[in-house]
Amino acid sequence: MTPDWFPVHWLTGLYPWTKALHVISVIAWMAGQLYLPRLFVYHCAAAPGSEASETFKVMERRLLRAIMNPAMIATWVFGISLLLTPGIVDWAAGWIWVKVVLVVLLTFFHHLLALWFKAFRADANKHDARFFRFMNEVPTLAMIGIVIMVIVRPF
Ligand code: HEM
């Protein structure tokens, strides 16, 4: 049974703003998801304790804490607001379910990036540059899939 508060009718007038803020947050989140693994690739070449390594730690911390964490939260808040807006999502369509799976994957990947960030911070990284170059493809492929789902809506 659908609860009384669903869908949330006052969100209708806000719809263009909610969508604009969702896309702005997505861009900031994706910028970080694509750039942080690349920083890890370069960080692998810097000896622990070196000046370069300490500089990478500062760049990684700022990217994760000041941009990616708030952008991920904002993406979820505005994305869920869009889901709650009357008439926007037809749950009988397939695309929304594929999108939800890919977004959960991106959120999981964000947490993996945070774990790798902590390992670098403690000079305890166990992976090589090839690993991070490979991992760089995960957000790229997920983002391509999500954009095709929301724009093309193939099923
Ligand atoms: C975090 C959880 C997310 C939720 C709950 C969510 C949900 C939604 C919903 C319900 C819409 C509205 C579709 C419409 O207006 O018809 C939307 C639009 C959109 N989403 Fe998300 N989304 C999320 C994350 C993402 C991510 C990670 C990306 C990109 C990588 C993304 C890209 C987009 C784009 C580009 C649109 C605009 C599509 C259009 O022009 O109609 N979303 N999202």
Side-chain angles (χ1 to χ4, degrees), residues 55-70:
T55 306
F56 281 126
K57 287 181 191 177
V58 174
M59 292 168 75
E60 290 156 4
R61 192 189 67 235
R62 291 198 180 141
L63 185 60
L64 187 65
R65 299 270 156 85
I67 295 175
M68 293 176 68
N69 287 347

Side-chain angles (χ1 to χ4, degrees), residues 15 19 22 26 75-76 79 82-83 88-89 99 103 146 153:
Y15 172 61
K19 190 143 117 173
H22 178 61
V26 159
T75 302
W76 272 100
L82 287 167
L83 290 178
I88 296 306
V89 171
K99 172 166 178 176
V103 162
I146 291 172
R153 301 189 178 188

Side-chain angles (χ1 to χ4, degrees), residues 11 14 27 37 41 43-44 49 60 88 93 103 114 131 135 145 147 153:
L11 281 171
L14 295 174
I27 290 170
V41 169
H43 199 157
C44 284
E60 290 156 4
I88 296 306
V103 162
F131 172 83
M135 283 301 158
V147 172
R153 301 189 178 188

